[in-house]
Amino acid sequence: MKPSDDTSHIHPPGRSQEPFQAVAMPIERASTIVFDDLEAFERRAERVYDGFSYGLYGTPTSRQLEDHIAQLEGGRRALVVPSGMAALTLATMAVCRSGDRVLVPETLYSPARDMITRLLGPLGVEAVSYAPRLDAGIAALLDARTRLVWVESPGSATFEVQDVPAIVAAARKVGALVAADNTWASHLLFKPLAHGVDISMQALSKHAGGHGDLLMGSLAVRDEALFRQLKDTARFLGYGVSPEDCALCERGLMTMPIRMRHAAATAQGVMAWLSARSEVVRILHPGLPDHPGHGLWKRDFAGSAAVFSFVLRADLAPLQAQVLRRMRLLRLGASWGGVHSLIAVSDPRKGRTSLDWLPPGPVWRLSIGLEAQDDLIADLAAAFALFSAAGEPEAAQASGRVAE
C-alpha cells in the first residue's frame, strides 16, 4: 500500500547502498538511533563503548575523530568532549573520589584550578598546589591518598617546562595517575603517553580546530579500563559533541602541521624583533637558553608552538591600554593556536609562590597566527611608538635572545 503524503514526508525511500567514499569526513547527526530487532534494542547498553546506542554517546562522525586523535596521540582510545575545560573536569571527576588528593601545578589553567577547589572540594577531594619546577621533588607531596597528579608543560603564561618522566616515576610509587594538559605543544611536539602519562588532554579549540570557531576537548589513554571509566563519567555528566564541530576539527587536523610550522617560524621573527626593544625586559619561551626547563624542552619536545609571553618594563604599565588600542592585526583575546594573532594580558604572579625569577612588569602573551611576519612587526612597531613617552631608562635591558 502506498503511504500517505504525511507519512512519506517522514519516511523517504531507502538510500543507495552503493559504496561512497569522499575525502571529507561525513557528517552524521543523531539523537535517536533505531535498532533492527528487540534483542539489539535490549542490549543497546553494550554498545556504549564501541557501537551506537544513542546520539549523545557517539555517532560515526565523533567516533572517527576519536579514533584519529587516539592514533595521533599514540594511544589506544580517545574521547572527545564539549571543551578543554570539560576534558579537565571529566578526567578529574572520573579518577578522584571523596578523600582523595589531586596535585595541580600553579601553572595549570586557572578555571580548572577553581573547578577542583570549588566544585570538587565540597565533595571531599583535596587539591594541593605545587610549584611547576618541583619535578622529582614532588615526591615529598605524594602520599597514599594522592590519586591524580596534573602537569602542564609548559605552563600557558610563564612557560616553565616540567620534568614529566620524573613526575610520572614519583607518582607510580604511590599508585597515582598522571594527567597532562598538552594543549600548548599538542601531539605534534610532545606525546605525553609515550612519556608514561596516563591521560593526555588537549583543548582542541586551539591548534586542532585552528580557526577560533569551535569548542572541543579530548582525552587520550592507553588503558581500556581507564577509557571506559572516562566514558561512563562523560555519560553521567551528559557530555556530547556535535557532528558539525567534529567535522570542523577533523578538517583542522589536516592542516595543523603546516599551520603550526608556519606560525612557529613567524613567531621566531617576532621574538627577534621584540628582543631588540628596550620596552621588553624578558621574553618567556621554552626555547630560550635561560628559560626555566630549557634543557627538558630540548630533551623531550620536537619543536616550539607559536605561543609565548614577554615582560614589559614596569614603568610602562599605565600605557598598556593606549598601546593595545592601536593594534590592528594583533587583537585582545584569551585563546591561541588559531589563524588570527592574539594578545592576552595577565598578571601570572597572582596566586603563585614560585616566580622569583620573573622580573617585574606587565606580562603579555602572544599567539602568532598566519599573518605575514612583516605585517605583524609593523603592527607592533606602530603601537610601541606610543611607549616612547615613557622614555628609555638605562636600567631597561632587552633580552637580546631568540629561541633555539
Side-chain angles (χ1 to χ4, degrees), residues 9 16 50 53 64 66 69 100 121-122 157 168 175 210 220 251 276 285-286 288 295 306 328 335 363 367 397:
H9 276 81
S16 171
D50 295 295
S53 60
Q64 181 177 334
E66 289 173 338
I69 291 171
D100 289 343
V168 168
R251 185 171 68 176
H285 186 283
L288 294 171
R328 293 295 177 263
S335 191
V363 176
S367 169
Q397 298 291 328

Side-chain angles (χ1 to χ4, degrees), residues 117 143 281 382:
T117 301
D143 60 20
V281 295

Side-chain angles (χ1 to χ4, degrees), residues 29 112 147 264 268 316 346:
R29 304 179 186 87
R147 180 59 180 151
Q268 293 291 320
L316 298 178
S346 66

Side-chain angles (χ1 to χ4, degrees), residues 34-67:
V34 295
F35 302 85
D36 290 335
D37 53 52
L38 179 60
E39 180 184 8
F41 178 77
E42 290 180 337
R43 298 180 63 179
R44 65 191 184 279
E46 300 173 9
R47 303 165 63 89
V48 166
Y49 306 110
D50 295 295
F52 305 103
S53 60
Y54 188 64
L56 181 66
Y57 309 141
T59 65
T61 307
S62 64
R63 291 286 167 79
Q64 181 177 334
L65 177 61
E66 289 173 338
D67 290 345

